[in-house]
Amino acid sequence: MTNKYQKPTGSYISFMSNKVKTYGGINLAQGIPGFQPPAKLIEILQEVSRENIHQYPAGNGNLKLQQLIQQHYAQYLSLDLKDIMVTQGATEALSLLYTYFTGKFGKDFSALAFSPVYESYKHLPRIFNTGFSEFQLENNEIDFDKLKQTIVQDNVKVVFISSPGNPYGKMFTKPELDTLLKLAEELDFYILFDAVYKELYFEEAPYQPLESLNPRLFYINSFSKMLSVTGWRIGYFFAHPEHMEAIKSIHDYTGLCASSVMQEAIAEYLVQHNYGANYIENLRERLKKNFAYFREELLKLDFYIPETHGGYFVWTRLPEQFNDGFKFAIDLYEQEKVAVIPGEHFSAHAQNYIRLNIAREDEEINEGIKHIQRFVKR
Ligand SMILES: Cc1ncc(COP(=O)(O)O)c(C=O)c1O
């Protein structure tokens, strides 16, 4: 007989959401939005798909889309179009930049990310055979002395930051980011700042470290979550000009370009709809409401939730009677058909945590909570 607690060798996210895809249930596991993209965006997609835009677009991106990105960030800094590159989602930007770093530093360096860690941040170092350090926060804050020590000891050249984060929706403050940028200069490392949840905050907008285009910072963002189009694969990054020529020469042989049709549709939609302001506002409110609801109900069941500022997820410690997030996830699915992700997928220190996706329709959220309540009380 197979052991139902046998751990998967690959991604826990695929493992848990495949259960729902095969046997049904409520998928609070994968970071897929349960919401539709803006209806106008779909209409525009149909219109632009009839145009003559089906061949390779410019490698750096659709000019109109690049200009919109440039205008959007003009509130922070002045960007040259040459320094903005549209990519196949933030995922391609991350792997392209990691490829660039391995060319620059060889194999003999480490990347660092704050615990709990988003998947790509630890798997890129694994794939490229470089080191990886997971750095624990203390009461959700950075101990900078310890961080400095780790960076020097482990020869860290790349620090990943997502703000708000995944799985834990911490937002990094201006003092934290200012200090990190100063340290980057002092200790010779680079920061990959991942802003894919930038618009999805619960109270105040996250601080963006963009007072100038710092050569130590690579800024990554995506339309995946902002417009609920994770399947379209359109993201972008910008960086200081000193890096761009070398990155472009890699990109020509790796990603080459992002989808011409999807870029055109997004650009046209952003022009016509004030960079998606209404859609984003609505999405933000829904996520905020879902988070507050989950929080209230989970706290009643004695879950612990660290202070969370935004993003797509509830990152939560199980009530005391449960000490194994993996077993919890398997039993919850078996008994109640609700899929969640065990915390150990994101950190070896999060054995008794789970992650839940809150970007789902009300009905699924309500059902999900009811089932979790029944399971925990049983
Ligand atoms: C922190 C973070 N970065 C990057 C991505 C990937 O985004 P994209 O769909 O643009 O590749 C995700 C997706 O869940 C994410 O959570």
Side-chain angles (χ1 to χ4, degrees), residues 187-200:
L187 303 177
D188 186 26
F189 65 86
Y190 292 89
I191 296 172
L192 294 187
F193 188 83
D194 179 342
V196 304
Y197 300 107
K198 166 176 174 277
E199 305 296 343
L200 307 179

Side-chain angles (χ1 to χ4, degrees), residues 279-294:
Y279 183 83
I280 294 168
E281 170 96 40
N282 188 281
L283 177 61
R284 182 187 300 140
E285 286 308 311
R286 292 181 78 169
L287 289 171
K288 184 172 154 180
K289 188 182 93 197
N290 288 355
F291 182 82
Y293 180 40
F294 254 115

